[in-house]
């Protein structure tokens, strides 16, 4: 029978996880503040479009530094291992900045913005200025993630929430100043707000993480080698990168549906609402990394709740009058778009049920240092989306945005089945004497 250490009880888990959930949900407010500020400028649609392009490219390039949060929380046990990981972080950051320099200061940037993003040549100078500022965010974002791994390892997640609150407060102050002095003249204003907020959160995380390391002192820990770091880190980078491919694929195929504008708009709104209700549960893998070995039964019970709560929220929106009220009064849609969006959301209920379990199983693979095994399920997810989206848009074009939600949800379900199979195989290989009930 499993012996539960009181230091790893349900209350300890909730005290660890709830601040992480709040920080993830609060982070989603970042671009609401920025877009709200840019929306007050003259020619706001052009300015917001330029910021969106720069942010899209930033989102791709930033991926390698985001993984340092999981890498640190999984591999770092003390100062010595942190210093080894920090040296890897420096190398990765330098490589990313070289890419940013090539984009921001050479003809490569012209080709990317004009050809791949179809940017307006007349606003190209503004777009370059925005990208050069937003590229600096990558340094602060990476440092933040690195030290947040230390904070998470020591169960002090309340400091992460505090850092996000200070970040948003700083962004609001800068936003108010820019608007008050009529300085919102280009998309660079949005990049400046973003940079300020990230620098504040980074400073807060570095201060707390460094304090924890100093208070911890020297600990007896196994030597962490760079080869071990890269074998854990590199597959995670590809895993996150593959995740970013799925939605652009769906948007590309939604251009073939019966009513393209309402189909894409309803899918975009439904997807944003789904991400909002899931955002609180995006750190399920961290719960696994910190608690699964000590109290696995309670972790599994938590994941059951994590899958039910967002699904129940979507059910309330989709099957009660509250849904149409929410779409009309909170999201500001007209009745036709609101109804279509609710139809799309019904299919995303499958995704909200499945995603926490995918993240849970991914956490087990991280715990077992088998991140390379996460790639095949993610590739299967992408293939499944492509296999289903093609016949849906060509043979049932009247589904509109629902075609995208069906494909995305079936892809997530296929990914869950695949990652469960992988976890089962990896676990049995590492512990062949144990049965599945003992392993899970």
């Amino acid at each position: 029978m499993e012996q539960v250490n009181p230091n790893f009880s349900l209350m300890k888990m909730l005290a660890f996880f709830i601040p992480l959930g709040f920080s993830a949900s609060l982070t989603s407010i970042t671009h609401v503040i920025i877009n709200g500020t840019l929306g007050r400028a003259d020619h706001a649609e052009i300015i917001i479009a330029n910021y969106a392009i720069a942010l899209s490219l930033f989102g791709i390039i930033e991926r390698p530094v985001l993984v340092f949060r999981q890498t640190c929380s999984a591999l770092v046990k003390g100062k010595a291992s942190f210093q080894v990981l920090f040296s890897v972080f420096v190398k990765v950051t330098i490589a990313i900045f070289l890419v940013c320099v090539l984009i921001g200061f050479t003809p490569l940037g012209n080709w990317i913005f004009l050809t791949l993003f179809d940017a307006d040549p007349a606003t190209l100078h503004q777009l370059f200025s925005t990208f050069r500022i937003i590229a600096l965010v990558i340094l602060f974002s990476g440092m933040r993630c690195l030290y947040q791994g230390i904070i998470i390892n020591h169960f002090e997640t309340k400091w992460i929430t505090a850092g996000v609150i200070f970040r948003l407060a700083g962004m609001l102050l800068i936003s108010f100043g820019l608007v008050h002095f009529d300085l919102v003249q280009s998309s660079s204003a949005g990049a400046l707000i973003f940079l300020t907020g990230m620098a504040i959160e980074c400073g807060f995380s570095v201060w707390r993480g460094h304090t924890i390391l100093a208070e911890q002192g020297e600990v007896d820990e196994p030597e962490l080698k760079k080869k071990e770091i890269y074998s854990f880190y590199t597959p995670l980078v590809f895993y996150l990168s593959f995740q970013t491919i799925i939605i652009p694929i769906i948007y590309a195929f939604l251009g073939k549906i019966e009513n393209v504008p309402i189909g894409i708009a309803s899918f975009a709104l439904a997807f944003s609402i789904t991400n909002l209700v899931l955002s609180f549960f995006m750190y399920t893998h961290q719960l696994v990394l910190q608690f699964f070995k000590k109290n696995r039964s309670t972790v599994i019970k938590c994941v059951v709740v994590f899958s039910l709560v967002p699904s129940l929220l979507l059910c309330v929106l989709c099957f009660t009058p509250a849904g149409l009220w929410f779409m009309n009064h909170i999201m500001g849609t007209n009745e036709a778009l609101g109804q279509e969006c609710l139809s799309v959301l019904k299919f995303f209920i499958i995704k909200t049920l499945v995603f926490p379990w995918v993240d849970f199983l991914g956490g087990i693979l991280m715990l077992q240092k088998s991140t390379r095994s996460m790639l095949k399920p993610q590739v299967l997810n992408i293939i499944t989306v492509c296999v289903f989206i093609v016949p849906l848009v060509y043979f049932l074009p009247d589904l509109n945005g629902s075609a995208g939600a069906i494909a995305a949800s079936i892809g997530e379900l296929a990914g869950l089945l695949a990652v469960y199979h992988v976890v089962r195989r990896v676990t049995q290989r590492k512990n062949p004497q144990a049965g599945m009930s003992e392993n899970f």
Side-chain angles (χ1 to χ4, degrees), residues 54-297:
L55 187 67
S56 298
L57 186 56
F58 162 83
I60 297 170
I61 299 172
E62 185 201 24
R63 290 288 169 177
V65 299
L66 294 180
V67 180
F68 279 101
R69 183 189 290 115
Q70 294 95 323
T71 306
C72 184
S73 62
L75 302 181
V76 171
K77 305 302 178 186
K79 283 184 179 180
S81 54
F82 179 80
Q83 288 171 356
V84 177
L85 181 60
F86 188 82
S87 68
V88 173
F89 168 76
V90 170
K91 293 177 182 177
V92 171
T93 305
I94 290 172
I96 290 174
F97 268 102
L98 288 175
V99 173
C100 291
V101 168
L102 287 173
I103 295 172
F105 297 94
T106 72
L108 176 63
N110 288 40
W111 181 81
I112 289 175
F113 290 130
L114 295 176
T115 306
L116 298 184
F117 287 94
D118 198 26
D120 184 355
T123 62
L124 197 59
H125 176 72
Q126 180 186 140
L127 186 52
F128 269 110
S129 298
T130 304
F131 176 76
R132 289 164 189 162
I133 296 172
I134 213 170
L136 296 174
V137 176
I138 293 172
L139 172 63
F140 294 112
S141 178
M143 290 285 287
R144 168 199 62 156
C145 290
L146 189 65
Y147 279 92
Q148 282 180 355
I150 297 294
I151 296 170
I152 289 170
N153 266 349
H154 288 77
F155 308 105
E156 297 194 15
T157 52
K158 61 182 180 293
W159 292 102
I160 295 178
T161 305
V164 174
I165 291 171
F166 278 104
R167 162 184 170 171
L168 296 176
M171 291 175 65
L172 284 170
L173 285 173
I174 293 294
S175 173
F176 176 79
L178 291 173
V179 172
H180 181 74
F181 293 105
D182 195 26
L183 296 174
V184 185
Q185 305 295 333
S186 72
S187 52
S188 297
L192 182 62
I193 296 170
F194 192 20
L195 177 63
T196 302
M198 190 64 76
I200 291 171
E201 186 184 358
C202 173
F204 202 87
S205 298
V206 169
W207 163 75
R208 189 57 202 162
H210 184 75
T211 302
I212 290 171
L213 285 174
E215 291 175 349
Q216 183 184 26
E218 298 297 331
V219 296
D220 185 20
E221 57 175 324
E223 181 185 0
L224 179 63
K225 297 181 179 179
K226 289 185 179 180
K227 182 180 179 181
E228 184 181 355
I229 293 172
Y230 285 118
S231 65
F232 181 94
Y233 166 84
T234 307
L236 271 184
V237 173
F238 282 104
Y239 176 79
L240 284 179
S241 299
F242 288 156
Q243 279 186 336
T244 64
I245 297 173
I246 295 174
I247 299 306
I249 289 173
I250 291 174
Y251 278 130
F253 280 103
L254 288 181
K256 310 292 183 183
I257 58 179
E258 186 173 82
N259 189 333
V260 174
I262 198 168
I264 291 179
S266 61
F267 178 84
L269 282 170
F271 184 68
S272 66
I273 293 168
T274 302
N275 279 345
L276 183 63
V277 298
L278 279 176
S279 63
F280 193 87
F281 308 98
M282 289 292 185
Y283 284 103
T284 302
H285 61 275
Q286 290 291 355
L287 197 68
V288 176
L289 287 172
Q290 305 302 327
F291 292 95
F292 189 71
K293 285 184 176 180
K294 303 295 183 181
N295 192 351
R296 64 188 64 192
S297 61

Side-chain angles (χ1 to χ4, degrees), residues 236-394:
L236 271 184
V237 173
F238 282 104
Y239 176 79
L240 284 179
S241 299
F242 288 156
Q243 279 186 336
T244 64
I245 297 173
I246 295 174
I247 299 306
I249 289 173
I250 291 174
Y251 278 130
F253 280 103
L254 288 181
K256 310 292 183 183
I257 58 179
E258 186 173 82
N259 189 333
V260 174
I262 198 168
I264 291 179
S266 61
F267 178 84
L269 282 170
F271 184 68
S272 66
I273 293 168
T274 302
N275 279 345
L276 183 63
V277 298
L278 279 176
S279 63
F280 193 87
F281 308 98
M282 289 292 185
Y283 284 103
T284 302
H285 61 275
Q286 290 291 355
L287 197 68
V288 176
L289 287 172
Q290 305 302 327
F291 292 95
F292 189 71
K293 285 184 176 180
K294 303 295 183 181
N295 192 351
R296 64 188 64 192
S297 61
T298 304
V299 170
I300 292 173
K301 289 174 184 176
C302 286
V303 180
V304 172
V305 175
F306 295 168
S307 67
L308 290 177
V309 171
S311 303
L312 289 173
L313 288 174
L314 287 194
C315 285
V316 170
L317 290 178
C318 294
F319 300 107
T320 72
L324 197 56
W325 179 89
F326 176 83
M327 294 308 303
N328 294 340
H329 293 86
I330 305 299
M331 300 302 293
T333 66
N334 57 43
E335 188 166 346
L337 180 57
Q339 290 282 13
E340 187 68 26
C341 183
L342 292 174
S343 298
V344 177
L345 273 176
K346 291 175 183 177
F347 295 103
F348 273 128
I349 293 172
I350 300 171
K351 179 179 173 68
T352 55
L353 278 169
V354 168
F355 175 81
W357 290 105
V358 173
D359 203 32
F360 163 74
L361 293 170
I364 292 178
L365 291 176
M366 292 181 205
L367 193 63
Q368 296 177 338
K369 312 296 188 294
S370 300
T371 53
R372 184 177 298 180
S373 303
M374 299 170 67
L375 294 178
K376 288 182 180 178
Q378 191 63 42
V379 171
L380 179 63
N381 185 348
I382 296 171
I383 293 172
T384 304
V385 168
C386 294
V387 167
F388 277 88
I389 193 72
V390 172
L392 286 172
V393 299
Y394 282 102

Side-chain angles (χ1 to χ4, degrees), residues 5-44:
N5 187 321
N7 290 329
F8 300 94
S9 65
L10 175 62
M11 293 308 296
K12 183 77 172 181
M13 288 186 197
L14 293 178
F16 169 86
F17 186 81
I18 289 175
L20 278 180
F22 274 120
S23 69
S25 298
L26 287 171
T27 300
S28 64
I29 300 174
T30 292
H31 298 292
V32 174
I33 295 172
I34 293 172
N35 288 327
T37 303
L38 298 181
R40 298 172 181 269
D42 295 331
H43 308 295

